[in-house]
Amino acid sequence: MPGTAPAPLLLLTGSPGCGKTTVAPLVADRHEPSACLDVDWFFAKLRRGVMEPWREEAHRQNRVVLSAAAEAAAAFAVGGYFTAAEGILYPFMLDLFAAACAPHGITLDYAVLRAPIGVVQQRVQDRRAEPLHAGALADAAVVDDLWEQFERHGVEERHRVDSGTRSPKDVAAEIDRRMGAGEFRL
């Protein structure tokens, strides 16, 4: 919108079961106006020739899909909407969001929810009955691998947020506070 300053964009990530889908709207709701974007929605739009995104050979596919998600998230932010984009976003994919945000002067923040693997696995199994998570990933071996990838990819400690035993509301409040202090800035 002409004359509107771009709003910040928060990338909220972590392994399956760490609380992204629950916490992201809580963070977005702390801002006016705001948008909450589920990055996985973009993967769901692929029709044929689709690879499971956690496979190594899906890297090119994932970059195409996340590039589209980055442009959409940036469009909301350019329009003045604080935007929380949630999904599995490893550090090596952040360049796509930086490229979408930089030309518009959008502040980009990156927060990684982290919970112990036992908590994550239990949440993944418990949520299978919830309509919101009906199609969510529940394969224990894949969840283990995705959790371990966040440990291996060298996420800086300043981007991590403990979501293991705290309420989603408390986690959202911490994210909003730390984001305001610039701790998650990329």
Side-chain angles (χ1 to χ4, degrees), residues 3 12 17-18 33 36 38 42 57 61 63 73 81 86-87 102 111 121 124 128 136-137 140-141 152 161 164-165:
L12 184 60
C18 68
C36 188
D38 177 359
F42 290 85
E57 58 271 20
Q61 165 193 283
R63 288 191 66 82
Y81 291 86
E86 62 92 1
Q121 288 288 10
V124 166
R128 293 173 71 184
L137 183 61
R152 286 195 311 264
V161 179
T165 58

Side-chain angles (χ1 to χ4, degrees), residues 73-95:
F76 281 109
V78 165
Y81 291 86
F82 170 86
T83 305
E86 62 92 1
I88 296 178
L89 303 167
Y90 295 112
F92 59 84
M93 294 294 193
L94 297 178
D95 64 305

Side-chain angles (χ1 to χ4, degrees), residues 16 116-126 138-144:
I117 188 63
V119 170
V120 164
Q121 288 288 10
Q122 187 61 53
R123 286 179 181 169
V124 166
Q125 294 310 311
D126 290 348
D139 182 304
V142 174
V143 171
D144 270 346

